[in-house]
Amino acid sequence: MDASSSSSLVSIEASFFENLKGFILAVVSSAFIGSSFIVKKLGLQRAGASGVRASSGGYGYLKEPLWWIGMITMIVGELANFVAYMFAPAVLVTPLGALSIIVSAVLAHFFLKEKLQKMGILGCVLCIVGSTLIVLHAPSESSLTSVEEIWELATQPAFLLYLASAIAIVLVLILYCEPRYGQTNIMVYIGICSVIGSLTVMSVKAVGIAIKLTIEGSSQAASFQTWVFVMVAITCIITQLNYLNKALDTFNTTVVSPIYYALFTSLTIFASAIMFKDWSGQSASSIVSVLCGFIVVLSGTLILHSTREKDPASVTDIYSSLSPQVSWLVHGNGVPWKHNADDEPCLDFDAILKQDHFK
């Protein structure tokens, strides 16, 4: 065997072990992140039992140790995922993030008593398959050597348009949709998390490059772009976590996890493709595969949303829906009966009234 063949075998072997390290780290990351959803929700439930729930604007969960355990678990998972990208390509690491959905669904079944229906399982499978299609056929990222290069990419017209659109969508969701539909439509909170999350990834990647270059001897601390990206990353992460907490506290975890994963992954790849212009040179088959992936993800999301278990309305909710100033309907012996505030009370009807509601 000549020297060139021996060198080639060594290179292949080294590449195999690098990918194996990345694979193991990605699986560990998914296990930690999937578990963190369950632990954090347990913490949110405990905090909500003794104070204002996160979905109602409360922050009592910050005093709950279980929530912090879940937070630390998620951070460990994210760090493992970050290190995995150092050893293996994105086409190997990113699809494995879908394993966190399965982990959270299984743990939710045992610890949160959240039933995953058959159609919900189908929705999970579709989300995983669609997201995998998107990632496997997504454009490869370009090599970057400085924060200034990313700054130029972030200030190009195409990405500025995406940035403006993302901010506009988030503002509409927060200011208009959240007060009206936040407690009933899962896509409000998840939409905010996912759109902000795509910006988080772009800014975190810039910060990561700055840290990497600084470790290699080329300090980026004096560059103002580095600190702009740091501030953007911190702001986006805080906002993202805040609305993710609200989603977990309001809706079924087995639905939140896959929808969040699918939408977040799709928007992140879309934002990356715009910012880094990786679509140039791609074959038609790759583009079609990505579009098909989006359709599959959308189908899975719709199925999951339609199979979400609705929380039974509490008696308090029934009381609060009644107003002494307006007319309301009750069923007397099966017959609808309209009652006005000035009418005499009817004693023969099947309804529960809270007396102090009308004081």
Side-chain angles (χ1 to χ4, degrees):
M1 182 180 295
D2 56 19
S4 60
S5 299
S6 177
S7 176
S8 177
L9 288 175
V10 171
S11 177
I12 294 174
E13 184 179 359
S15 177
F16 171 77
F17 282 108
E18 292 290 292
N19 284 346
L20 181 60
K21 292 177 183 178
F23 172 78
I24 294 173
L25 285 167
V27 172
V28 171
S29 170
S30 295
F32 272 88
I33 293 175
S35 301
S36 72
F37 277 102
I38 309 305
V39 179
K40 285 174 65 179
K41 180 151 188 177
L42 288 172
L44 289 169
Q45 289 177 343
R46 285 190 181 182
S50 58
V52 181
R53 298 177 59 183
S55 57
S56 301
Y59 294 94
Y61 59 86
L62 294 176
K63 299 179 182 179
E64 177 58 49
L66 200 58
W67 183 86
W68 283 106
I69 293 175
M71 193 68 217
I72 293 173
T73 303
M74 175 173 281
I75 292 174
V76 172
E78 293 294 350
L79 288 175
N81 191 60
F82 177 77
V83 177
Y85 280 105
M86 295 182 178
F87 296 102
V91 293
L92 173 63
V93 176
T94 307
L96 292 175
L99 295 177
S100 63
I101 300 174
I102 301 174
V103 172
S104 63
V106 173
L107 293 179
H109 176 77
F110 291 102
F111 292 98
L112 299 178
K113 307 304 179 183
E114 295 181 357
K115 185 183 297 184
L116 184 61
Q117 302 176 6
K118 291 182 179 179
M119 290 302 293
I121 296 175
L122 175 61
C124 286
V125 172
L126 288 176
C127 285
I128 294 172
V129 172
S131 297
T132 302
L133 277 174
I134 294 171
V135 172
L136 291 179
H137 295 278
S140 58
E141 59 184 15
S142 58
S143 173
L144 298 170
T145 58
S146 69
V147 175
E148 285 77 10
E149 288 186 23
I150 296 187
W151 183 261
E152 292 179 2
L153 295 173
T155 54
Q156 60 182 318
F159 188 74
L160 287 177
L161 178 61
Y162 175 83
L163 179 62
S165 301
I167 293 174
I169 291 173
V170 168
L171 289 176
V172 170
L173 289 174
I174 293 176
L175 300 178
Y176 180 80
C177 297
E178 183 185 0
R180 295 169 174 81
Y181 314 111
Q183 299 296 310
T184 58
N185 193 323
I186 193 174
M187 296 307 297
V188 175
Y189 291 143
I190 296 299
I192 296 172
C193 291
S194 301
V195 174
I196 292 293
S198 67
L199 301 179
T200 300
V201 173
M202 300 300 104
S203 56
V204 166
K205 181 174 181 178
V207 175
I209 291 176
I211 294 175
K212 179 182 178 182
L213 293 174
T214 300
I215 294 175
E216 292 176 350
S218 177
S219 178
Q220 302 293 308
S223 175
F224 81 92
Q225 292 96 332
T226 299
W227 299 107
V228 171
F229 283 124
V230 168
M231 294 305 299
V232 171
I234 293 174
T235 302
C236 290
I237 289 173
I238 293 175
T239 305
Q240 189 177 353
L241 289 177
N242 180 40
Y243 283 95
L244 180 58
N245 285 330
K246 291 186 177 183
L248 288 171
D249 192 41
T250 307
F251 302 101
N252 194 310
T253 306
T254 56
V255 181
V256 171
S257 299
I259 294 179
Y260 174 63
Y261 166 79
L263 195 56
F264 168 72
T265 302
S266 301
L267 288 175
T268 298
I269 292 175
F270 184 59
S272 181
I274 294 176
M275 183 170 176
F276 300 113
K277 295 182 178 180
D278 292 327
W279 291 106
S280 59
Q282 293 297 306
S283 63
S285 61
S286 295
I287 297 175
V288 170
S289 297
V290 170
L291 293 177
C292 290
F294 272 107
I295 295 174
V296 173
V297 168
L298 180 60
S299 301
T301 301
L302 292 175
I303 292 175
L304 283 167
H305 187 41
S306 64
T307 58
R308 179 173 67 87
E309 293 181 350
K310 296 185 180 296
D311 296 330
S314 64
V315 177
T316 304
D317 293 334
I318 297 174
Y319 295 155
S320 62
S321 65
L322 301 177
S323 171
Q325 304 301 324
V326 297
S327 299
W328 40 271
L329 290 172
V330 295
H331 288 264
N333 297 325
V335 180
W337 171 65
K338 186 175 182 179
H339 176 77
N340 294 303
D342 298 328
D343 293 342
E344 291 295 325
C346 177
L347 300 178
D348 189 20
F349 61 89
D350 300 323
I352 303 174
L353 300 179
K354 184 177 182 182
Q355 301 300 326
D356 58 1
H357 177 79
F358 296 94
K359 292 181 180 179

